[in-house]
Amino acid sequence: VRHDQSHYGKIYLVGAGPGDPGLLTIKARDLLAVADCVIYDYLVNPEILAFAPAYAELIYVGKHGKDYNWKQEEINRLLIEKAGKYDLVIRLKGGDPFIFGRGGEEAEALVDAGIEWEIVPGVSAGSAVAAYAGIPITYRGLSSSVAFVTGHEDPQKLRSSIRWEELANGVDTLVFFMGVGRIREITEQLILHGRSKETPVAVIRWGTYNDQETHISTLNDVADLVRQKAVEAPALIVIGEVVRLREKLRWFEANAKTEWDVAAESDEYTELSI
Amino acid sequence: VRHDQSHYGKIYLVGAGPGDPGLLTIKARDLLAVADCVIYDYLVNPEILAFAPAYAELIYVGKHGKDYNWKQEEINRLLIEKAGKYDLVIRLKGGDPFIFGRGGEEAEALVDAGIEWEIVPGVSAGSAVAAYAGIPITYRGLSSSVAFVTGHEDPQKLRSSIRWEELANGVDTLVFFMGVGRIREITEQLILHGRSKETPVAVIRWGTYNDQETHISTLNDVADLVRQKAVEAPALIVIGEVVRLREKLRWFEANAKTEWDVAAESDEYTELSI
């Protein structure tokens, strides 16, 4: 808690990982345990917020809420305001703060305001969600490159900011974040620019959570499957030959709760409803 | 420790993160604390091995050792052998096991042998090492895509397995793992296929460790700089406009030890010499 009113506190931009609380880093948990204030997003698992002290101020700035949609500039101002009030403020983001998390923009705002900050990288959904679906995003002989791409742009911009003709075959594995709402445009562009229609595709919803669900299809058919099954965000799209390995390597959905989860629930974790 | 000799134990393929022990996941640390055997690589920070119990058998299978170079098939056989002896075996890899870690191949070998396994994803060097150098690998308006590529192939294969003409401009940020020994060929290929010679490049050695060093140059000049400064592995190469953000966002090298590190060293961590 803030004692010295003559200076600003410090802000940590912290990655919360993809969902499974076990995938939080030690550093993130240790910092959460002494946080005065936690400003968190939609995709942060509520179980992770339970690591913060009871006295900590928890502020939800998720953009998928039904109430109010925070603008980035408003979040930046909130961070600075809270750094003026508290010693230790955590800006908690799903996955990794620097992979489509706008962590860079927030860090810039803090530098401009002269506020001390650090980043605590997190486990990215791009690899972990695929791994929980039994898909290694790289694999010797099948994939020696993987791209993370944001699908969360307005359709106009999606067409212009991605160089589809080079992206389509430029890397072996393609991972689209936040792209399920635009999966038809994404897959059409990739096929138009020469990626095989038969390329396997996985759409993984609520990855690393106990109710993770994985849909397997091809570049040609996946948009229809997603519409038919009404698959909605949050979901990760993985495109490439490595998706075939899931048949052999799936492990998580087969035994939804691991021994570790059960042990962790019984002694370490507390449920938090928000 | 193994009691029931009638069955095989379980193997966890665990990501150790990029180096900073604080970037280990909670799940990895909890599993290490009860491991009977840890089979680990070159790029695993020895401080992380200290989380294993004193009785655990620690086996080094790193490929950069001066003594013996383990072949992948030998490591696979070793995993199976140790699963026959112990209840809980950890296969510990730098970064994330499924990002150029050959985790997929090891998982396949375990499935073939009928051994129970799980994966514990880790924080990838691809984002975390860049973050510790003050570089967000994605940034709205500057980079909406990032590719992770392995530079660790024989020169013959490097030329054939990477589609340079599409990769060069297909994504905004390019991150090469294990590529410092082949940086001249990598940069020449990218320039040859149309990436601007003036594209900023960062070469980050021992990223997230206290002695992290970062070299900044351009696609045109970086190979000379690396030769001149004799930069060797382990190093990550980050290519793209986002590298410019480091000028404003560098934080880690400025204050090599954070308060958190000092606190952690004093009460939680023990040094382990191996």
Side-chain angles (χ1 to χ4, degrees):
Chain A
V1 183
R2 195 68 189 286
H3 297 296
D4 178 3
Q5 296 294 324
S6 68
H7 73 291
Y8 276 78
K10 184 161 178 174
I11 297 194
Y12 290 84
L13 304 175
V14 175
D20 180 343
L23 298 183
L24 190 69
T25 64
I26 299 172
K27 186 166 180 176
R29 192 181 66 175
D30 288 356
L31 287 168
L32 272 169
V34 293
D36 300 306
C37 178
V38 182
I39 298 167
Y40 67 99
D41 282 341
Y42 171 56
L43 285 175
V44 171
N45 188 336
E47 286 183 52
I48 287 170
L49 293 171
F51 290 127
Y55 60 75
E57 184 183 5
L58 305 182
I59 306 171
Y60 175 69
V61 293
K63 281 162 191 163
H64 292 247
K66 278 161 192 149
D67 311 318
Y68 181 73
N69 275 332
W70 288 76
K71 294 188 184 70
Q72 189 58 52
E73 304 70 42
E74 292 174 320
I75 294 174
N76 295 355
R77 275 199 298 274
L78 181 72
L79 291 173
I80 293 161
E81 181 200 321
K82 295 303 176 185
K85 193 173 168 191
Y86 297 116
D87 277 331
L88 203 162
V89 177
I90 291 188
R91 174 69 177 108
L92 193 62
K93 295 162 170 292
D96 181 277
F98 277 177
I99 300 183
F100 311 127
R102 298 198 181 169
E105 290 175 59
E106 293 177 10
E108 271 206 295
L110 298 176
V111 171
D112 288 339
I115 291 168
E116 223 189 329
W117 68 283
E118 276 194 25
I119 180 162
V120 182
V123 172
S124 174
S127 55
V129 165
Y132 272 54
I135 302 165
I137 54 175
T138 71
Y139 191 95
R140 194 161 52 141
L142 268 187
S143 170
S144 59
S145 56
V146 54
F148 294 166
V149 187
T150 177
H152 189 64
E153 307 227 8
D154 59 272
Q156 208 66 32
K157 232 188 124 202
L158 189 66
R159 195 165 290 142
S160 63
S161 74
I162 297 178
R163 289 172 297 279
W164 294 102
E165 68 283 7
E166 286 157 319
L167 183 68
N169 284 299
V171 292
D172 296 319
T173 307
L174 285 162
V175 179
F176 282 85
F177 287 59
M178 302 167 288
V180 76
R182 296 187 174 107
I183 194 163
R184 190 167 301 277
E185 175 153 11
I186 289 168
T187 51
E188 280 176 357
Q189 288 291 327
L190 292 174
I191 291 170
L192 182 66
H193 292 101
R195 191 85 179 207
S196 163
K197 285 180 177 183
E198 300 309 316
T199 310
V201 179
V203 179
I204 308 150
R205 184 159 193 252
W206 286 116
T208 82
Y209 286 81
N210 278 330
D211 50 355
Q212 171 181 311
E213 54 179 63
T214 303
H215 305 274
I216 301 291
S217 185
T218 61
L219 207 50
N220 195 59
D221 299 334
V222 70
D224 288 341
L225 181 73
V226 160
R227 188 179 54 186
Q228 179 197 322
K229 300 234 176 184
V231 182
E232 292 182 347
L236 193 83
I237 305 167
V238 182
I239 301 167
E241 293 304 317
V242 288
V243 170
R244 293 189 204 283
L245 294 167
R246 166 177 162 83
E247 210 171 311
K248 192 164 179 184
L249 299 184
R250 67 185 286 180
W251 61 274
F252 178 65
E253 291 148 43
N255 53 326
K257 288 207 178 195
T258 65
E259 302 102 293
W260 184 87
D261 289 321
V262 174
E265 277 168 18
S266 63
D267 51 44
E268 248 192 51
Y269 294 99
T270 47
E271 275 268 304
L272 183 85
S273 4
I274 52 163
Chain B
V1 185
R2 195 68 189 287
H3 298 297
D4 178 3
Q5 296 294 322
S6 67
H7 72 292
Y8 277 79
K10 184 162 179 174
I11 297 195
Y12 290 84
L13 304 175
V14 175
D20 180 344
L23 298 183
L24 190 70
T25 64
I26 301 172
K27 187 166 179 176
R29 192 181 64 175
D30 288 356
L31 286 168
L32 272 169
V34 293
D36 300 307
C37 178
V38 182
I39 298 166
Y40 66 100
D41 282 341
Y42 170 56
L43 285 175
V44 171
N45 188 336
E47 287 182 51
I48 287 171
L49 293 172
F51 290 127
Y55 61 75
E57 184 183 3
L58 305 182
I59 305 171
Y60 175 69
V61 293
K63 282 163 190 161
H64 292 248
K66 277 163 193 145
D67 312 317
Y68 181 72
N69 275 333
W70 288 76
K71 293 187 185 70
Q72 188 57 52
E73 303 68 43
E74 291 174 319
I75 295 174
N76 295 355
R77 275 199 298 274
L78 180 72
L79 290 173
I80 294 160
E81 180 200 322
K82 295 303 175 185
K85 191 172 168 191
Y86 298 116
D87 278 331
L88 203 160
V89 176
I90 291 188
R91 174 69 177 108
L92 193 61
K93 294 161 171 292
D96 182 276
F98 277 177
I99 300 183
F100 311 128
R102 297 198 181 170
E105 290 175 60
E106 293 177 10
E108 272 206 294
L110 298 176
V111 170
D112 288 339
I115 290 169
E116 223 189 328
W117 68 284
E118 277 195 24
I119 179 163
V120 182
V123 172
S124 174
S127 54
V129 165
Y132 271 55
I135 301 165
I137 54 174
T138 71
Y139 191 95
R140 193 164 50 142
L142 268 188
S143 171
S144 59
S145 56
V146 55
F148 294 164
V149 187
T150 177
H152 190 62
E153 308 228 8
D154 60 90
Q156 207 67 32
K157 233 189 124 201
L158 190 65
R159 195 165 290 144
S160 63
S161 75
I162 298 179
R163 289 171 298 279
W164 294 102
E165 68 284 7
E166 287 157 318
L167 182 68
N169 284 298
V171 293
D172 297 318
T173 307
L174 285 162
V175 179
F176 282 85
F177 288 58
M178 303 165 287
V180 75
R182 297 192 173 103
I183 194 163
R184 190 168 300 276
E185 175 153 12
I186 290 168
T187 52
E188 279 176 357
Q189 288 290 326
L190 292 173
I191 291 170
L192 182 67
H193 292 100
R195 191 85 180 208
S196 163
K197 285 181 178 185
E198 300 310 315
T199 310
V201 179
V203 179
I204 308 150
R205 185 158 192 253
W206 286 116
T208 83
Y209 285 82
N210 279 331
D211 51 354
Q212 170 181 310
E213 54 178 63
T214 303
H215 306 274
I216 301 293
S217 185
T218 61
L219 207 50
N220 195 59
D221 299 334
V222 69
D224 287 342
L225 181 73
V226 160
R227 189 179 51 186
Q228 179 197 323
K229 299 234 177 185
V231 183
E232 291 183 346
L236 193 82
I237 305 167
V238 182
I239 300 167
E241 293 304 317
V242 290
V243 170
R244 294 190 203 282
L245 294 166
R246 165 176 162 83
E247 210 172 309
K248 193 165 180 184
L249 299 184
R250 66 185 287 179
W251 59 276
F252 178 66
E253 291 149 44
N255 53 328
K257 287 208 177 194
T258 67
E259 302 102 294
W260 184 87
D261 289 321
V262 174
E265 277 169 17
S266 64
D267 51 44
E268 249 191 53
Y269 294 99
T270 45
E271 276 267 305
L272 183 84
S273 7
I274 52 163

